[in-house]
Amino acid sequence: MIPPQEASARRREIEDKLKQEEETLFFIRDSLEKSDQLTKNMVSILSSFESRLMKLENSIIPVHKQTENLQRLQENVEKTLSCLDHVISYYHVASDTEKIIKEGPTGRLEEYLGSMAKIQKAVEYFQDNSPDSPELNKVKLLFERGKECLESEFRSLMTRHSKVVSPVLILDLISGEDELEVQEEGPLEHLPEGVLQDVIRISRWLVEYGRNQDFMNVYYQIRSSQLDRSLKGLKEHFRKSSSSSGVPYSPAIPNKRKDTPTKKPTKRPGTIRKAQNLLKQYSQHGLDGKKGGSNLIPLEGRDDTLDVETDAYIHCVSAFVKLAQSEYQLLMDVIPEHHQKKTFDSLIQDALDGLMLEGENIVSAARKAIIRHDFSAVLTVFPILRHLKQTKPEFDQVLQGTAASTKNKLPGLITSMETVGAKALEDFADNIKNDPDKEYNMPKDGTVHELTSNAILFLQQLLDFQETAGAMLASQVLGDTYNIPLDPRETSSSATSYSSEFSKRLLSTYICKVLGNLQLNLLSKSKVYEDPALSAIFLHNNYNYILKALEKSELIQLVAVTQKTAERSYREHIEQQIQTYQRSWLKVTDYIAEKNLPVFQPGVKLRDKERQMIKERFKGFNDGLEELCKIQKAWAIPDTEQRDKIRQAQKNIVRETYGAFLHRYGSVPFTKNPEKYIKYRVEQVGDMIDRLFDTSA
């Protein structure tokens, strides 16, 4: 049970809370009454505002509609007046533009084209709205006249500003073809920038509005002439430079513009000069001597002329590619896209035909040279053919999109050159084999024959053109000729493309064939000499010349591709000829050889027969020595090393034999006049042999 005091406190607490709740309830009721009053007032205000808006709307809408109608009427009037002004303006176009059209577009192309646009619009208006109007004829005539003036201006600009590219710039362009820097606008400025922009605007107008394509013919005719003249100028430059200085021009430009990057010198193609310089080195080392005759025209002395013509043509080929590329870049700006390939094809025809004709002339000259056995002229085909093959990818790229007949010109020339080159190689090998043995053409001193030097020189050229010469042989399917099987892996999909290894083997086999033919011919020629010793010296000199020439060049490595023992074989031939030569001294040494000497007892008086025999031995030796020394002094061994070797070997043999003979019989009283028979001391005999093969002694 709750105590009374706690119950009383509890009651008071509840009464206080009840009182608070009643006060709160009273406050809420009062707030609700005020809120209802405010709501009634707001509804009353909004109702009044709505009533006023309705009255305003009823007053404004009629005014707005009336204003809108007035604005529409005003716009119609303005449009009508504008149309009238526009129509009337067409009737004044002829009079407003006639003076401008008459004076032409020179110097004010933009204004002129603006006038032509007005005339064009007038023509279109009258054609659509008043086809029978006399004004139509006026503006039509004016339009045609203006178009003719634009065509004339196009021709004039192209003619006046198209200049021949100077040889110096062309050579600079060729020499810089490997440079990394490339100007965006191209290396050549065929037309000044302002003129080019005018030409482009005129061409676009003629295509779009003039419906005219004649200007394209004008363009390609003018540019074709400049391209052709540029190439001819380059060729003439080579001729003049050669005649004045003796060497072709090197594109080192003395007066270049400051903004022109320095170009490296043009790398000249390998020609016959390299091999001839090498042979001159052989001559300095005693490999070359007096040459005999041959029905092969000598290769020396013609390199300058051949080099100039060859270099000129090669540079013209490179120049054509570069100039044609530049022309196409220019053409793309001027000629519409769908006419570019055809126009470019026409543009390059004259220059390309000139190059191809000159190439065919070179082929024709080579054929004639083959007939007269002038193989030095044929050598010009090699650097040209190599350059054409190297340039062919660029050619193909430049000629992309041209007619098939245009694209096939270079491959046709390459085929012709390969054919004549292969013919030259085969004929040269045959001529080496069949060169006649003419006694009056043989070197009297047994030195190197001209046939040998010519053959080595010709083969030396092939080192610079191994791939070219190998391709020549391969293109004529000479694998069967040389019994070299054609491995499918050694050929590509193209019938004229062979692996470098296969071409190298073909060329190696060919060189071995030429050397074999040369050796057979030299053997035949050596029989012309009546003296076997001179024949041996002749063969020795030629074999030694061939071996040294092979060793001092890469020919020996090329020969070794198919003939591993070639070097050893030549050394054996050389040693064999030395032994044959040494046998010529047997008729001298046999007189004093111990096996042929009389036998006698020391201190015993010689019999007359024995004394006479000793006298005959001394006399035979003396006469034989003098005769051989007199004869062989006029012979030649150009190789100093070989000459000293042969002299020393012979001197050792003769001195040893003569020394023994002299020691044995020099003090024997076989005669009352010993000085008559003992004419030479051992040292004198050695000195006489040291003067062999020396015409100056």
Side-chain angles (χ1 to χ4, degrees):
M1 184 168 179
I2 301 174
Q5 291 179 350
E6 289 183 7
S8 176
R10 178 84 173 170
R11 188 183 310 107
R12 284 196 301 271
E13 183 180 349
I14 293 172
E15 288 175 353
D16 290 341
K17 286 185 179 180
L18 180 61
K19 185 177 180 180
Q20 290 177 358
E21 293 294 334
E22 288 176 351
E23 289 176 355
T24 301
L25 180 61
F26 176 79
F27 176 76
I28 292 173
R29 286 176 179 171
D30 185 58
S31 297
L32 286 173
E33 289 175 358
K34 290 180 180 180
S35 177
D36 289 342
Q37 184 63 39
L38 289 174
T39 300
K40 290 178 181 179
N41 293 339
M42 182 59 70
V43 170
S44 175
I45 292 171
L46 290 175
S47 298
S48 175
F49 185 69
E50 182 181 8
S51 175
R52 291 180 181 181
L53 282 177
M54 290 181 62
K55 290 180 181 180
L56 181 61
E57 182 179 355
N58 292 333
S59 301
I60 291 300
I61 288 177
V63 175
H64 175 71
K65 289 182 178 179
Q66 186 177 5
T67 302
E68 187 179 22
N69 291 333
L70 290 174
Q71 288 177 341
R72 189 179 296 110
L73 290 173
Q74 183 180 2
E75 289 176 358
N76 290 337
V77 170
E78 289 176 352
K79 288 182 179 179
T80 302
L81 291 174
S82 176
C83 289
L84 287 173
D85 290 339
H86 182 68
V87 171
I88 292 172
S89 68
Y90 288 130
Y91 287 86
H92 296 289
V93 166
S95 59
D96 292 343
T97 60
E98 185 174 8
K99 182 179 180 182
I100 296 175
I101 299 303
K102 184 177 180 181
E103 292 176 352
T106 304
R108 52 175 181 177
L109 181 62
E110 204 65 42
E111 180 184 4
Y112 194 88
L113 291 178
S115 297
M116 289 298 293
K118 293 179 182 179
I119 297 172
Q120 173 72 13
K121 289 179 180 179
V123 170
E124 293 173 354
Y125 171 79
F126 288 121
Q127 284 178 336
D128 294 339
N129 299 282
S130 184
D132 297 330
S133 171
E135 292 296 328
L136 176 60
N137 293 331
K138 280 185 180 181
V139 291
K140 270 188 174 182
L141 290 173
L142 197 58
F143 181 81
E144 291 300 323
R145 184 176 180 181
K147 185 170 72 172
E148 291 174 0
C149 288
L150 284 173
E151 293 172 0
S152 178
E153 179 69 5
F154 182 89
R155 179 187 294 273
S156 176
L157 289 174
M158 291 298 302
T159 303
R160 284 188 288 113
H161 296 283
S162 290
K163 305 297 182 184
V164 174
V165 183
S166 71
V168 172
L169 287 179
I170 295 176
L171 289 170
D172 192 35
L173 178 65
I174 297 172
S175 66
E177 61 186 359
D178 296 328
E179 294 294 325
L180 295 178
E181 66 269 14
V182 178
Q183 301 178 8
E184 293 181 1
E185 68 275 11
L188 292 179
E189 184 183 70
H190 293 291
L191 296 172
E193 183 60 28
V195 174
L196 176 60
Q197 294 304 319
D198 286 350
V199 168
I200 293 173
R201 282 198 292 267
I202 293 175
S203 69
R204 290 177 179 173
W205 188 93
L206 290 173
V207 171
E208 186 175 357
Y209 301 108
R211 306 293 190 271
N212 183 291
Q213 298 181 6
D214 292 342
F215 77 95
M216 299 180 196
N217 296 332
V218 172
Y219 177 87
Y220 90 71
Q221 289 169 1
I222 294 174
R223 293 308 308 169
S224 175
S225 174
Q226 300 304 323
L227 175 60
D228 191 43
R229 290 169 59 192
S230 296
L231 293 177
K232 289 179 179 177
L234 176 62
K235 186 176 180 181
E236 186 63 25
H237 177 76
F238 266 84
R239 290 175 178 171
K240 289 181 179 179
S241 298
S242 173
S243 61
S244 61
S245 63
V247 293
Y249 177 83
S250 178
I253 302 175
N255 296 318
K256 295 166 66 176
R257 300 188 307 273
K258 292 183 180 180
D259 59 340
T260 301
T262 302
K263 306 292 185 182
K264 59 185 178 182
T266 300
K267 183 178 180 182
R268 295 200 41 223
T271 56
I272 69 174
R273 182 177 287 118
K274 177 180 177 182
Q276 292 188 351
N277 288 339
L278 189 58
L279 287 180
K280 289 177 183 177
Q281 295 176 14
Y282 297 163
S283 178
Q284 293 171 2
H285 288 82
L287 282 179
D288 201 1
K290 298 177 182 178
K291 294 186 175 65
S294 170
N295 71 333
L296 295 175
I297 296 178
L299 300 179
E300 298 91 334
R302 303 190 55 185
D303 52 320
D304 285 344
T305 302
L306 292 175
D307 274 354
V308 170
E309 294 297 326
T310 300
D311 284 0
Y313 185 74
I314 287 175
H315 279 80
C316 284
V317 170
S318 295
F320 172 81
V321 173
K322 293 299 179 183
L323 292 177
Q325 289 173 342
S326 182
E327 286 292 345
Y328 192 74
Q329 293 297 320
L330 177 65
L331 178 141
M332 286 195 299
D333 292 332
V334 179
I335 304 300
E337 183 177 358
H338 54 287
H339 292 286
Q340 288 173 0
K341 294 296 184 182
K342 182 179 179 181
T343 304
F344 180 71
D345 196 344
S346 301
L347 189 155
I348 62 174
Q349 281 304 313
D350 288 347
L352 182 59
D353 286 344
L355 277 180
M356 295 302 107
L357 178 60
E358 190 173 351
E360 290 297 340
N361 289 339
I362 292 172
V363 172
S364 178
R367 290 195 182 101
K368 294 177 181 178
I370 293 173
I371 294 175
R372 62 177 186 271
H373 302 160
D374 180 7
F375 295 98
S376 61
V378 180
L379 289 173
T380 60
V381 171
F382 285 76
I384 292 174
L385 177 58
R386 179 177 65 181
H387 187 71
L388 289 179
K389 285 188 170 183
Q390 291 172 345
T391 313
K392 188 176 182 298
E394 288 185 90
F395 247 98
D396 293 340
Q397 185 177 5
V398 169
L399 301 182
Q400 188 177 4
T402 57
S405 58
T406 303
K407 295 178 182 177
N408 292 334
K409 288 180 179 179
L410 180 64
L413 178 59
I414 289 176
T415 300
S416 296
M417 286 193 171
E418 283 188 333
T419 302
V420 76
K423 174 67 174 173
L425 292 175
E426 283 304 293
D427 280 21
F428 183 80
D430 291 342
N431 275 276
I432 292 296
K433 181 179 181 180
N434 300 320
D435 187 66
D437 306 326
K438 297 178 181 178
E439 184 175 355
Y440 62 85
N441 277 337
M442 295 293 290
K444 305 301 181 184
D445 56 2
T447 189
V448 178
H449 198 281
E450 187 175 61
L451 178 69
T452 302
S453 61
N454 275 356
I456 292 298
L457 179 57
F458 186 86
L459 294 180
Q460 179 63 34
Q461 318 311 310
L462 303 186
L463 288 177
D464 289 332
F465 312 105
Q466 294 184 38
E467 292 186 7
T468 304
M472 285 178 177
L473 298 171
S475 69
Q476 302 304 310
V477 199
L478 294 179
D480 294 338
T481 303
Y482 299 124
N483 297 317
I484 297 180
L486 293 177
D487 190 331
R489 292 172 295 181
E490 294 180 318
T491 62
S492 70
S493 57
S494 171
T496 59
S497 179
Y498 293 82
S499 71
S500 59
E501 186 62 30
F502 177 70
S503 297
K504 192 173 185 178
R505 286 197 291 121
L506 267 182
L507 185 57
S508 174
T509 306
Y510 171 78
I511 292 175
C512 290
K513 176 183 177 182
V514 172
L515 293 176
N517 290 349
L518 177 60
Q519 186 173 340
L520 291 174
N521 199 313
L522 290 173
L523 282 171
S524 177
K525 289 182 184 301
S526 68
K527 297 176 183 178
V528 172
Y529 296 110
E530 296 180 358
D531 190 335
L534 180 55
S535 175
I537 291 296
F538 170 77
L539 290 175
H540 165 273
N541 284 332
N542 282 271
Y543 291 157
N544 184 61
Y545 182 90
I546 294 170
L547 178 60
K548 289 296 179 67
L550 293 178
E551 289 177 335
K552 286 184 177 292
S553 68
E554 297 176 10
L555 279 174
I556 192 67
Q557 288 88 353
L558 195 55
V559 169
V561 172
T562 55
Q563 183 57 265
K564 305 294 184 183
T565 62
E567 185 175 359
R568 185 181 68 188
S569 177
Y570 273 110
R571 294 192 186 281
E572 291 174 353
H573 289 320
I574 292 170
E575 189 60 34
Q576 181 181 356
Q577 299 309 318
I578 292 176
Q579 293 174 5
T580 302
Y581 162 74
Q582 289 176 342
R583 284 197 289 270
S584 69
W585 281 84
L586 290 177
K587 63 182 180 181
V588 176
T589 56
D590 277 353
Y591 279 106
I592 57 176
E594 186 174 355
K595 62 181 180 179
N596 296 325
L597 297 177
V599 180
F600 59 90
Q601 295 296 325
V604 179
K605 185 178 180 181
L606 296 176
R607 291 176 295 178
D608 291 341
K609 182 179 180 181
E610 292 173 338
R611 287 196 298 271
Q612 184 62 31
M613 183 177 292
I614 295 173
K615 289 178 183 179
E616 290 176 356
R617 294 292 182 267
F618 269 107
K619 186 177 187 305
F621 173 78
N622 292 335
D623 292 345
L625 176 66
E626 292 168 357
E627 180 184 2
L628 282 186
C629 287
K630 180 180 179 181
I631 294 173
Q632 295 184 8
K633 185 179 74 171
W635 297 354
I637 299 180
D639 188 333
T640 305
E641 181 182 349
Q642 285 291 314
R643 182 168 65 241
D644 293 343
K645 174 184 175 183
I646 292 174
R647 282 174 176 171
Q648 188 61 42
Q650 197 60 52
K651 185 167 63 172
N652 291 341
I653 294 173
V654 176
R655 285 178 59 179
E656 181 181 351
T657 306
Y658 182 63
F661 177 76
L662 193 60
H663 176 73
R664 185 169 184 177
Y665 295 103
S667 58
V668 174
F670 66 90
T671 178
K672 296 179 180 180
N673 300 309
E675 67 277 359
K676 178 179 178 181
Y677 297 97
I678 307 176
K679 297 174 64 175
Y680 303 105
R681 299 189 307 275
V682 175
E683 294 76 11
Q684 287 178 310
V685 172
D687 292 341
M688 292 174 68
I689 295 176
D690 280 336
R691 290 193 292 271
L692 296 179
F693 317 115
D694 187 359
T695 57
S696 63

